[in-house]
Amino acid sequence: MSDARLLRVAMALYQEALSVHRDELDSLNVFPVPDGDTGTNLLFTQRAVTAALSLLNPAEEDEVAAVREVVEAAALRAARGNSGVILAAVLRALCDSLPAPSERLAGWVLAEAFDAASQAAWRAVVDPKEGTALTVLREAAAGARRAAAGAADDAAAVSREALAAAAQALAETRHQRPELERAGVVDAGALGLVLLIDCIRAAVVGDGPSIPVGPYGPVGRPGADGPSRLSEDGAFEVQFIVHADEESIERLRRDLVAGGTSLAISGERGTYAVHVHTDDPERALAAGAAAGAVEDRAVRPFDARPEEPSGGSVPAGQVRTGLVAVADGAGLERVFRSLGAVVVAGGPGRNPPVAVLQSALTAAGAEGAILLPNHPTVVPAARAAAESGERSAVVVDARSIPAGLAAAAAYRADATVGQNAREMSAAGAAVRAGEVGIAAVAVDTAAGPVRPGDWFAAVGETVVEIGDEPAPVAVRLVERLIGRAEAELITVVLGEGAAAPEVDNVCEALREAGPGLRVDVIVGGQPHHRYLIGVE
């Protein structure tokens, strides 16, 4: 088997292995932060590589130079997370180590490739740690060199020894980092690289991946008391591609080290993938822009697990318009996702940064997208993200959750951005919305003085009703919202603290007040308002 064909087989096997081990890897991801995304990031990065390889024409499939170029470019541009950036560096080094076209891979060539991959990974991480993927790669390279010393032409023997050394190093990671020892798990990134080495071995010897799925770790396990995110590691994960010279990259490296952690930079010949954890994503992106031309920006809060763009029930290839919605509350996030949206956590008092919204627009997975801010304070950032992003985006001016839900229900992934903007804007504009909550402080309002513990109803920022119980306040709010207009539906979104029998009383009162109206109840979980109410 030629070197180019062997590499293509290994890449296909590695995607298969990552698909099988994705959830396991995510569950083991307790270091550097327990954000449960190592398997996801490796899989998404590798998918881009295999997809790019599938586009090679038959004449190029056995050309080392063509395969090398495709793998390097795809891995660098698609690298997700710290693990994805390391993988990009490893794959680039492996490709660069392939010699001119040959019919059979020599053992000593494979050993040199493992050594180059290890060195590239250690260079990519600014603050390298033992007990990680770097350790596994170093030990795999050492094992490969030992085998090549006695069997320079036997690539199968070299690959087996590299895997054995990597597996031993993986087992030892459990005791090399306190985070891993406390959780009783091996390092997720290290396991991800062991899977790659196993797939290279499988391609060389002509069989399949040999590593079974192991016990799951604590991250993301329902009901498990897994470790919490390390606050000192930054609230956001920032990634981008930057085109710059080596001097500018060194300056960028110093700038990002000063304001972030988990920094990894992979690339050469003027194009680099950058990954960092930081509390100030705008500063990190500005540093990148100062170094050179920046593209493919991605910013993700650590309280949001990465997921694949939905597009609703439309096949991925037919998605013309993506959807991004801002929502605060686990229930609301689930509802918006079920309607096809990429969800950004945020709302009153927790406005998402422009960079996070831009990243979500990119993650929506289409050439254009609709952005639903769902609260007045989010509108300015939403407009800035839509205007400065790399993809066509339109803000549908939904200023309340009920309006946003109605707009999202009108979204069609297979329609154009313009069609969606018109239909979703009309659906959102048909909703009159207000909120009901309990006062925490005394304040004078247009409806009279409010004391702590009073129930109040507000439309926008104006308090319109005050009372001792939630049900009558909600009824009077709905009567105001309906006014002289026609209405068919009342939507009640339940926030934190809403529980029976209080909820039953409110909903029953609304049904009695509008016998011809349908009352839909959504468990939103929003923190600031007990009830969000929309009438349409």
Side-chain angles (χ1 to χ4, degrees), residues 94-355:
L94 288 172
C95 288
D96 284 345
S97 299
L98 290 176
S102 61
E103 290 303 316
R104 184 170 176 270
L105 179 67
W108 66 269
V109 172
L110 184 57
E112 287 190 351
F114 279 128
D115 193 57
S118 175
Q119 292 183 42
W122 279 85
R123 286 195 303 269
V125 179
V126 173
D127 184 21
K129 305 288 186 183
E130 292 289 353
T132 64
L134 304 181
T135 306
V136 161
L137 284 166
R138 185 187 63 215
E139 296 307 310
R145 287 195 303 271
R146 288 194 298 270
D153 292 329
D154 192 345
V158 169
S159 67
R160 292 190 186 98
E161 184 58 33
L163 177 60
Q168 178 62 37
L170 172 67
E172 293 173 0
T173 63
R174 184 187 307 269
H175 308 295
Q176 290 178 295
R177 298 222 55 80
E179 300 90 343
L180 302 177
E181 192 154 33
R182 284 195 299 268
V185 298
V186 297
D187 181 70
L191 174 57
L193 269 296
V194 170
L195 294 175
L196 173 61
I197 296 167
D198 183 40
C199 290
I200 293 172
R201 177 209 57 79
V204 170
V205 303
D207 60 12
S210 65
I211 299 175
V213 175
Y216 279 37
V219 180
R221 185 193 304 157
D225 295 325
S228 60
R229 183 181 69 80
L230 304 178
S231 59
E232 64 269 21
D233 205 68
F236 297 91
E237 179 181 52
V238 178
Q239 287 189 241
F240 54 85
I241 298 292
V242 59
H243 302 282
D245 56 37
E246 292 185 8
E247 182 178 347
S248 297
I249 289 298
E250 285 307 310
R251 185 168 60 251
L252 174 62
R253 194 187 305 270
R254 293 192 297 270
D255 289 344
L256 294 180
V257 165
T261 60
S262 297
L263 175 60
I265 300 178
S266 173
E268 58 184 23
R269 297 189 287 272
T271 300
Y272 299 84
V274 179
H275 168 278
V276 67
H277 296 172
T278 178
D279 285 322
D280 192 347
E282 302 288 359
R283 180 181 181 277
L285 291 171
V294 172
E295 60 182 353
D296 293 347
R297 302 170 182 84
V299 180
R300 182 175 66 85
F302 274 117
D303 58 2
R305 188 180 186 272
E307 47 188 303
E308 300 183 59
S310 169
S313 59
V314 177
Q318 299 177 25
V319 175
R320 302 178 69 184
T321 302
L323 177 61
V324 174
V326 178
D328 207 2
L332 283 171
E333 292 181 16
R334 284 193 296 271
V335 172
F336 278 110
R337 287 192 185 103
S338 73
L339 294 171
V342 172
V343 178
V344 175
R350 196 157 74 107
N351 294 340
V354 172

Side-chain angles (χ1 to χ4, degrees), residues 437-445 447-457 463 465-469 473 476:
I438 303 175
V441 297
V443 63
D444 289 329
T445 73
V450 176
R451 299 163 299 178
D454 283 348
W455 286 88
F456 69 91
V463 174
E465 298 289 345
I466 304 169
D468 297 328
E469 298 292 335
V473 171
R476 294 197 297 271

Side-chain angles (χ1 to χ4, degrees), residues 12 18 26 38 84 209 229 256 265 303 315 389 425 483 487 502 513 518 524:
L18 288 173
D26 284 348
T38 291
R229 183 181 69 80
L256 294 180
I265 300 178
D303 58 2
S425 293
E502 178 190 289
R518 190 174 91 239

Side-chain angles (χ1 to χ4, degrees), residues 69-95:
E69 182 179 353
V70 166
V71 171
E72 290 182 3
L76 189 67
R77 289 192 169 276
R80 288 181 53 153
N82 190 286
S83 53
V85 173
I86 292 173
L87 175 60
V90 167
L91 294 181
R92 188 182 69 251
L94 288 172
C95 288

Side-chain angles (χ1 to χ4, degrees), residues 395-492:
V395 176
V396 168
D397 199 19
R399 293 174 177 253
S400 69
I401 287 294
L405 290 169
Y411 160 68
R412 291 187 298 124
D414 57 347
T416 66
V417 171
Q419 290 171 325
N420 271 302
R422 289 190 295 274
E423 295 174 11
M424 294 173 68
S425 293
V431 177
R432 283 94 64 194
E435 58 210 33
V436 174
I438 303 175
V441 297
V443 63
D444 289 329
T445 73
V450 176
R451 299 163 299 178
D454 283 348
W455 286 88
F456 69 91
V459 177
E461 297 183 354
T462 303
V463 174
V464 295
E465 298 289 345
I466 304 169
D468 297 328
E469 298 292 335
V473 171
V475 168
R476 294 197 297 271
L477 170 64
V478 167
E479 290 172 346
R480 280 179 173 269
L481 294 174
I482 295 175
R484 296 182 179 180
E486 295 182 356
E488 299 177 351
L489 172 66
I490 302 172
T491 300
V492 182

